[in-house]
């Protein structure tokens, strides 16, 4: 396996960009001390690197991976704590990530090890292929902090696993293993632990053997069918409406203080 570091500066970067055999770009979420949580700075750099990969004619596929033992723990809760409903709507929080991923016409492969939680899981769901190990934990835990998934999770998970299992995952915060996700069709390829990146690069090599323009047109057609079934704007509107509610404030505060939340009566 020949991988070349694009920016071997020795300094810590939020997205580690590497090239594999000239045809695949590997973008690694690089906040291992924060479990690769998606802060805005990381999202900005990820989008910048996606634009670079999209503009490079020799790059045929893009792999997104996590550093360390986890893909991503999701959105940075400390950043979420600073938002209320109005601010979230004004900033269009997470919309840049959703739209930026959508604009990438080249195939994107998520190489998932360990855990993909909340926004990290949603990021993987935005990819065109998901490679995972049997023991990977997929989870949408937003309900535990008084929120709902806001980057396509409610729509894509329901389409992939069905309404009732989606209810279990989103309303009951139940995990989905990589093995079960593969059985349900959510994971494209199942590999041994520690081999997610290798498995993703194998897919990238196969993609590189096909016409680049045909791949882009085929991806566009499939994604169009996917979008016609989903209402991401509706989900995001509901997501923003949850920011600044008493339950969201209580949930985030409890999470940061490492205690159980105390929910108010609904009426």
């Amino acid at each position: 396996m020949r991988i070349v570091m694009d920016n071997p500066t020795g300094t810590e970067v939020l997205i580690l960009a590497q090239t594999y055999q000239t045809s695949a770009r590997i973008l690694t979420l690089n906040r291992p001390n924060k479990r690769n949580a998606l802060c805005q700075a990381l999202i900005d750099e990820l989008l910048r690197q996606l634009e670079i990969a999209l503009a490079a004619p020799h790059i045929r596929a893009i792999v997104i991976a996590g550093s360390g033992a986890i893909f991503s723990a999701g959105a940075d809760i400390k950043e979420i704590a600073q938002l209320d409903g109005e601010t979230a709507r004004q900033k269009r929080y997470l919309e840049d990530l959703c739209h930026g991923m959508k604009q990438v016409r080249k195939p994107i492969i998520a190489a998932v090890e360990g855990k993909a939680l909340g926004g990290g899981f949603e990021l993987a769901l935005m990819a065109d292929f998901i490679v995972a190990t049997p023991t990977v934990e997929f989870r949408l835990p937003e309900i535990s902090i008084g929120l709902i998934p806001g980057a396509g999770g409610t729509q894509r998970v329901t389409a992939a696993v069905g309404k009732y299992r989606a209810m279990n995952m989103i309303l009951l915060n139940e995990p989905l293993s990589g093995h079960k996700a593969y059985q349900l069709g959510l994971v494209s390829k199942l590999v041994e632990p520690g081999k997610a990146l290798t498995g993703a690069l194998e897919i990238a090599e196969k993609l590189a053997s096909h016409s680049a323009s045909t791949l882009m047109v085929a991806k566009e057609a499939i994604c169009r069918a996917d979008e016609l079934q989903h209402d991401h704007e509706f989900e995001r509107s509901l997501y923003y409406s949850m920011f600044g509610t008493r339950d969201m404030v209580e949930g985030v505060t409890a999470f940061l203080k490492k205690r159980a939340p105390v929910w108010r009566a609904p009426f």
Side-chain angles (χ1 to χ4, degrees):
M1 183 181 294
R2 181 175 178 271
I3 299 176
V4 178
M5 181 108 70
D6 291 7
N7 52 350
T9 62
T11 60
E12 184 177 9
V13 290
L14 294 172
I15 297 293
L16 184 63
Q18 299 168 287
T19 300
Y20 169 71
Q21 292 187 349
T22 75
S23 63
R25 180 63 50 85
I26 305 169
L27 303 180
T28 304
L29 311 178
N30 193 41
R31 294 184 79 200
N33 59 325
K34 298 293 184 181
R35 304 174 75 205
N36 301 325
L38 305 179
C39 64
Q40 189 59 53
L42 183 147
I43 291 172
D44 291 343
E45 181 60 16
L46 174 61
L47 295 177
R48 190 180 77 84
Q49 291 293 341
L50 285 171
E51 287 183 359
I52 292 171
L54 183 58
H58 63 285
I59 297 298
R60 307 291 289 277
I62 301 165
V63 176
I64 299 178
S67 57
I70 186 171
F71 182 74
S72 174
D76 192 313
I77 304 301
K78 288 186 178 179
E79 285 194 357
I80 285 180
Q82 307 303 314
L83 299 175
D84 57 23
E86 183 178 353
T87 306
R89 285 183 187 276
Q90 288 176 346
K91 292 184 63 175
R92 303 298 296 172
Y93 182 62
L94 291 181
E95 185 174 17
D96 56 349
L97 176 61
C98 297
H99 286 182
M101 290 284 286
K102 182 180 176 181
Q103 296 305 311
V104 180
R105 299 187 66 205
K106 296 178 180 181
I108 301 175
I109 309 160
V112 182
E113 297 271 2
K115 297 182 179 183
L117 310 178
F121 184 18
E122 292 179 291
L123 175 61
L125 287 168
M126 293 178 205
D128 305 303
F129 301 86
I130 299 178
V131 178
T133 73
T135 56
V136 159
E137 178 184 325
F138 295 108
R139 191 191 290 266
L140 293 168
E142 287 87 350
I143 195 85
S144 64
I145 60 169
L147 282 174
I148 65 170
T154 64
Q155 308 295 291
R156 292 189 176 96
V157 164
T158 303
V161 304
K163 170 185 172 181
Y164 299 102
R165 191 171 293 275
M167 290 288 186
N168 286 353
M169 293 187 70
I170 296 169
L171 274 65
L172 299 180
N173 189 15
E174 290 186 358
L176 187 69
S177 70
H179 177 71
K180 191 63 179 178
Y182 179 71
Q183 290 181 326
L184 293 169
L186 189 149
V187 164
S188 311
K189 183 173 184 175
L190 206 62
V191 296
E192 297 176 7
K195 299 292 185 180
L197 180 57
T198 300
L201 292 173
E202 288 172 356
I203 291 177
E205 285 189 60
K206 291 181 180 179
L207 292 170
S209 68
H210 299 305
S211 157
S213 59
T214 304
L215 285 174
M216 288 191 286
V217 172
K219 170 176 171 171
E220 184 177 1
I222 294 168
C223 290
R224 178 65 179 271
D226 184 55
E227 290 163 10
L228 290 174
Q229 300 176 50
H230 302 153
D231 194 341
H232 297 289
E233 288 297 326
F234 177 67
E235 178 202 69
R236 197 150 43 239
S237 178
L238 292 176
Y239 179 62
Y240 294 150
S241 72
M242 300 298 295
F243 276 86
T245 62
R246 283 186 287 175
D247 280 350
M248 179 269 187
V249 172
E250 167 61 15
V252 169
T253 300
F255 178 88
L256 294 175
K257 291 186 176 181
K258 297 182 169 39
R259 63 168 175 80
V262 179
W263 306 119
R264 64 184 176 88
F267 304 108

